[in-house]
Amino acid sequence: MVILLLLLVLPFALAGPPWQVCSNGSKYAPNSAYLENLTLLSSTLPKKAASNATLFATDAVGVAPDTVFAVTLCRGDINASACEGCLSSAFQEGQQLCPYSKDATIYYDTCMLTFSNKNFVDTNVGGPNWNIQRSVLKFTASANSTRQMVSTLINSTAQSAANSSRRFWTSRLDDSSFPTMYCLTQCRPNLTAGDCASCFRSASQMMLQDLDRRVGCRVQGTWCSMRYEANKFFQGDPMLLIAASAAPPEVEKNVQQHSM
């Protein structure tokens, strides 16, 4: 039995404008040394990330108390040009969405920027900066069946990503009685495999906490990100093909739309 999906113009209501996390702490003044240092980073760091095979870069500019630390990361399936463009927009949007904030994180669909006046590059600041988005569409399969499928998908993909040199992986899950699902997981490539796996555990817990049979969900953090959908949202072929369990769940034939 094959589930039929309700098709929308948007494959999943997650793409679009950036999402920001702005600090309520200290602010910088207009025409300040901090702004000058942030502007300098915006002119160099996007190119630095785009020229890196992992699409990742960090840097720090200036002297205390006006030092700006920044981390940038693009999604592993996009090209260098798209990466540079995304990060350039993130720097620009960051100053507009978090005006005069010394500490901000900007998430786009394909890149992430975080900057601060504190040296966070080698410390875990992912917790406070999570961004979570959930699909408004739901499977009509049971909650347990959906949870089993999603858990298999995200955990298998996360394990592969944590064990890879780029800390990036994509996958597809196939089952005759459940819609095909796709997943993408990524960590900052400067993390150890253990730290990456730990971050994925936190992300998956948040994703599964309010799963509620949702067709898709995305969790983004400054250490790692995780996303699954019933539509292919990444470029290229899946790096991992996952076969569902031998005992497929019983499901109905439709997907219902619910508002969040």
Side-chain angles (χ1 to χ4, degrees):
M1 189 191 319
V2 178
I3 293 181
L4 301 178
L5 294 177
L6 178 62
L7 299 178
L8 301 178
V9 175
L10 291 176
F12 188 18
L14 295 184
W19 302 271
Q20 72 276 9
V21 180
C22 308
S23 171
N24 294 323
S26 58
K27 303 286 186 177
Y28 61 85
N31 303 315
S32 63
Y34 194 89
L35 177 58
E36 182 179 344
N37 292 332
L38 183 60
T39 301
L40 179 58
L41 278 175
S42 71
S43 67
T44 59
L45 206 50
K47 292 182 182 295
K48 183 178 178 181
S51 63
N52 191 325
T54 61
L55 304 179
F56 170 75
T58 68
D59 207 348
V61 172
V63 296
D66 296 307
T67 309
V68 184
F69 302 88
V71 169
T72 55
L73 177 63
C74 292
R75 214 173 69 185
D77 61 315
I78 69 172
N79 60 36
S81 177
C83 176
E84 182 177 348
C86 184
L87 291 175
S88 295
S89 297
F91 269 105
Q92 180 179 358
E93 292 281 357
Q95 296 176 60
Q96 296 174 358
L97 296 172
C98 300
Y100 306 116
S101 176
K102 286 189 174 182
D103 191 330
T105 300
I106 306 298
Y107 297 106
Y108 273 90
D109 187 43
T110 55
C111 72
M112 179 275 295
L113 159 69
T114 184
F115 61 84
S116 176
N117 62 326
K118 299 177 182 178
N119 187 356
F120 65 92
V121 174
D122 297 320
T123 58
N124 185 358
V125 295
N129 289 349
W130 291 114
N131 171 58
I132 306 174
Q133 296 170 286
R134 305 181 190 279
S135 173
V136 297
L137 297 180
K138 296 186 179 182
F139 295 120
T140 54
S142 70
N144 287 339
S145 296
T146 301
R147 187 181 185 88
Q148 176 186 346
M149 289 292 186
V150 172
S151 295
T152 298
L153 175 66
I154 63 176
N155 290 335
S156 297
T157 314
Q159 182 178 3
S160 296
N163 292 330
S164 70
S165 59
R166 294 184 65 199
R167 306 288 187 253
F168 170 80
W169 215 262
T170 61
S171 66
R172 186 184 76 214
L173 183 146
D174 296 311
D175 182 87
S176 60
S177 299
F178 207 86
T180 297
M181 290 194 293
Y182 299 87
C183 182
L184 183 151
T185 57
Q186 184 174 21
C187 284
R188 282 165 35 182
N190 66 334
L191 297 183
T192 66
D195 285 339
C196 179
S198 177
C199 185
F200 282 145
R201 282 193 294 271
S202 297
S204 63
Q205 287 172 1
M206 285 185 286
M207 182 175 284
L208 296 172
Q209 185 175 11
D210 188 30
L211 185 63
D212 196 22
R213 302 181 293 113
R214 297 180 190 276
V215 172
C217 181
R218 173 165 58 193
V219 177
Q220 295 171 298
T222 52
W223 265 36
C224 69
S225 61
M226 175 179 289
R227 178 177 178 179
Y228 81 90
E229 288 188 31
N231 294 284
K232 185 172 178 287
F233 60 91
F234 51 79
Q235 300 181 35
D237 295 329
M239 302 164 69
L240 174 67
L241 300 180
I242 305 170
S245 62
E250 294 183 2
V251 293
E252 298 174 7
K253 290 186 177 180
N254 300 303
V255 167
Q256 301 168 344
Q257 183 173 5
H258 300 257
S259 60
M260 288 193 294

